[in-house]
Amino acid sequence: MPVTKEARAATVQEFARQPGDTGSAEVQVALLTQRIDALTSHLQRHVNDVATRRGLIKMVARRNSLLAYLQRCDSQRHAALAERLGLRA
């Protein structure tokens, strides 16, 4: 099930560093995590959906790149974000 517009807006508002922030690494990682969770549940039901699996792998790689950038630039922000999202740091 795709992420609804309201859920996306709530995530952006929750992780924004300042009002109107939609492009910071924290917001991007949070939105990717939300989509990854939705696709993971989809793939548990539809095991043979190879195209979705490929998209999921690309999203996970993108999230890992953003987390690596955040770790390089500001490790405290990285640790706080990983804790809020429940990711392994």
Side-chain angles (χ1 to χ4, degrees), residues 36-68:
I36 287 168
D37 290 343
L39 285 181
T40 301
S41 65
H42 168 81
L43 282 172
Q44 287 173 347
R45 290 187 312 271
H46 305 281
V47 178
N48 295 326
D49 191 350
V50 179
T52 300
R53 185 176 316 278
R54 180 174 186 269
L56 174 66
I57 291 169
K58 289 180 76 166
M59 281 185 222
V60 170
R62 178 70 180 149
R63 182 177 70 179
N64 285 341
S65 297
L66 287 166
L67 286 170

Side-chain angles (χ1 to χ4, degrees), residues 10-78:
T11 301
V12 168
Q13 184 176 8
E14 179 182 351
F15 288 93
R17 299 186 69 206
Q18 59 191 5
D21 175 23
T22 59
S24 68
E26 289 93 338
V27 172
Q28 291 182 52
V29 169
L31 289 173
L32 280 170
T33 300
Q34 195 174 37
R35 291 182 64 199
I36 287 168
D37 290 343
L39 285 181
T40 301
S41 65
H42 168 81
L43 282 172
Q44 287 173 347
R45 290 187 312 271
H46 305 281
V47 178
N48 295 326
D49 191 350
V50 179
T52 300
R53 185 176 316 278
R54 180 174 186 269
L56 174 66
I57 291 169
K58 289 180 76 166
M59 281 185 222
V60 170
R62 178 70 180 149
R63 182 177 70 179
N64 285 341
S65 297
L66 287 166
L67 286 170
Y69 163 77
L70 206 51
Q71 176 68 33
R72 267 192 329 269
C73 292
D74 192 349
S75 61
Q76 292 159 345
R77 280 173 46 201
H78 173 267

